[in-house]
Amino acid sequence: MTYEEVVDKVRTLYENADAREIFEHIAFQINLEGEVSGAFYLEVAERKICVEPYDYRDRDGLITASAQTICEIADRKMSFMDAYKSGKIRYEGNMDKFYTMMRIRLPRRKKHKA
């Protein structure tokens, strides 16, 4: 998987997510490490979510993980919190903002017909 594919996967996950309960601005830079590297950001502003492939210097926190872990989160095989607790991601920054991000409601997964 390429850097661009990882960013697109995360963007797709969050494009229909519900951030209506988040009234504050939050911004996180996500640094990918390993075979696929690069940085992108996830921002909630005015209760809308934006994911873009740029550094975010005035961020609330920095998340560092492998592309595989970020893709597992995007595929909803684990949450950011589960990844953090298991040591699959490292987080530096404002923990209150990190917990606020956990309040984003992701869209329901579509069930595939067998």
Side-chain angles (χ1 to χ4, degrees):
M1 182 163 273
T2 67
Y3 164 77
E4 291 82 9
E5 290 170 328
V6 174
V7 173
D8 285 342
K9 185 172 249 198
V10 173
R11 184 183 291 129
T12 299
L13 172 68
Y14 283 96
E15 69 185 0
N16 293 314
D18 181 356
R20 289 180 290 176
E21 294 182 14
I22 300 175
F23 295 95
E24 60 191 293
H25 178 268
I26 58 174
F28 302 96
Q29 180 169 313
I30 300 171
N31 285 350
L32 300 176
E33 62 182 7
E35 277 187 41
V36 176
S37 63
F40 64 97
Y41 71 86
L42 186 151
E43 175 185 38
V44 179
E46 298 179 17
R47 299 185 294 175
K48 294 187 174 142
I49 303 167
C50 181
V51 175
E52 293 297 333
Y54 307 106
D55 288 347
Y56 199 106
R57 302 207 189 275
D58 190 24
R59 61 187 176 248
D60 297 304
L62 175 65
I63 296 168
T64 304
S66 69
Q68 177 182 348
T69 296
I70 296 300
C71 286
E72 287 176 9
I73 292 167
D75 288 335
R76 298 173 65 184
K77 293 178 180 173
M78 78 172 73
S79 69
F80 270 110
M81 185 56 74
D82 291 338
Y84 175 72
K85 287 180 180 179
S86 68
K88 289 188 174 192
I89 65 171
R90 293 185 311 279
Y91 180 74
E92 299 170 30
N94 184 319
M95 284 307 291
D96 290 335
K97 299 280 186 164
F98 186 73
Y99 291 128
T100 297
M101 183 177 68
M102 297 305 122
R103 294 192 341 241
I104 296 171
R105 293 185 185 173
L106 299 174
R108 293 181 186 247
R109 293 180 91 172
K110 293 180 182 176
K111 294 183 181 179
H112 297 289
K113 294 182 180 180

